Amino acid sequence: MSVHTEKIIILDFGSQTTQLIARRIREQKVYSEIHPFNISLERLKELNPSGIVLSGGPASVYDEDAPVSDPAIFELGLPILGICYGAQLMIQQLGGRVEKAEHREFGKADLSIQYTGGIFAGMETPPATYQVWMSHGDRIEEAPGFEATATSCHSPFAALRHTKKPFVAVQFHPEVAHTLIGNDVLRNFIFDLCGCSPDWTMHSFIDATVREIREKVGSEQVLCALSGGVDSSVTAALVHRAIGDQLTCIYVNNGLMRTGESESVLNFFRQKTNLRVIDVDATTYFLNELKGVVDPEEKRKRIGFGFIRIFEEEAGKIGEVKFLAQGTLYPDVIESVVFHGKAPIKSHHNVGGLPERMKLDLIEPLRELFKDEVRELGLELGLPEEAIFRQPFPGPGLGIRIMGEVTGERLNILRQADVIVLEEMKKSGWYRKVWQSFAVLLPIQTVGVMGDGRTYENVIALRSVDSRDAMTADWSRLPYDLLGRISNRIINEVRGVNRVVYDISSKPPSTIEWE
Ligand code: XMP
């Protein structure tokens, strides 16, 4: 089932930038979906796309076990755009020849366009050249039925078009920012060749999804675990718009939240909507469960289990419930392509095992969206900016940012330090520039001097990282004066801390959280 009338299907051959292709197309207000390269022809027909994009990938078309799509896709009468490996595969499957190039092309290259129609409509022939980004070691040598539409220094076939059919191929990557004409190329493909209209907007998404949720839910009851994070807040707002008071949200305060972490969301729902939120304060329960526990995995287990226990207990009071609404996002559901073990291995976690345990059917209205689209949706649904642009916060909360035992007193120290970090990050405009920024309380004391006296107190570590998707991350190059201000304020204002250090590790090999 799909609520989208027009869509572009991207067949994934394992490129690092496949997701970018989908995003660039969606930015043009045309819906696009990623599927594995070996999708069956029947399934592809069922999806009824307006056009197909073959992504790049790390393999060579002449590798023995090179990933190939069913060549019958070329018989569907659909426009097809091949990118890099996808271009080479298209040419090879249609009778052409690809060989290892003498000069590999990596990085920026100058493109000379020979044919200014099709995907190059609106562009100019030499002496004009256009900067594109290449990344290939193989080269198209022969392409019967096709003609070259652009060349680069080392690629006589930097772009091609079929002379009779709507097939186009580009050796460069139109989806990356370094290809300055990338958006124009994709626009020409989806609008001129595929004939799509730019009508996939958040507004149309809301209308279609609301209809779909109503149809699926009927008169049944739906539960949602509200965490204060962006994904669950937007899920709740959207489902609430669809079915009103058939939705009940449960907010479990595990006592491990940041100061103010959930308040703005809860206040919004309480004051601006009539969403039913059951707010359970389980602080005492969780602190008891965590007494004496120092092992990170044991902490995570106890917090996760505690959450499920309390959620189930509260849900049991509601009566018969059939559905659980969950904020799963698109990157979590894209099937990753694996061959030669070259593709990234991705694991993800959600409200661990709840749907199975409670025998609930899932409603995942965000499963087609990327994070930035979820934010746009949230704003469209009227959620406050403060809630929408909040940094990710882990389910186990401050429990995994306190090294060693979690106690009320240590939580208090960490919370005060953490508020200072957030305040200063926001004041300086850095809060939205980084992926996450937070304080960690270390399990050691160090010697300091305050006034004339010797102190022996706690150490706070600052962690701030830049990342695109949390799979990899690098430490943020925060300005020294900002670091200095944060450190000064923490040491001056938080009793029990006499030292602040900055974490300069990347992921991998470190992780973003310390536990
Ligand atoms: P790590 O520490 O694995 O974190 O580099 C990657 C991202 O995931 C967040 N994180 C979690 N989120 N439940 C969550 O909902 C968890 O148990 C959990 N552990 C880590 C982390 O904050 C970072 O954004």
Side-chain angles (χ1 to χ4, degrees), residues 300 349 392-396 400-401 435-436 470 507 510-515:
R300 279 174 172 275
H349 42 90
F393 185 70
I400 54 169
R401 292 181 182 170
W435 174 265
Q436 270 173 297
K507 171 183 179 173
S510 303
T511 51
I512 295 176
E513 302 292 345
W514 276 41
E515 286 194 337

Side-chain angles (χ1 to χ4, degrees), residues 214 221-222 236 238-248 274-276:
R214 282 188 189 144
Q221 296 291 315
V222 181
L238 184 56
V239 175
H240 182 248
R241 179 166 293 193
I243 56 163
D245 62 8
Q246 284 165 260
L247 171 70
T248 306
N274 51 358
L275 175 81
R276 195 173 356 184

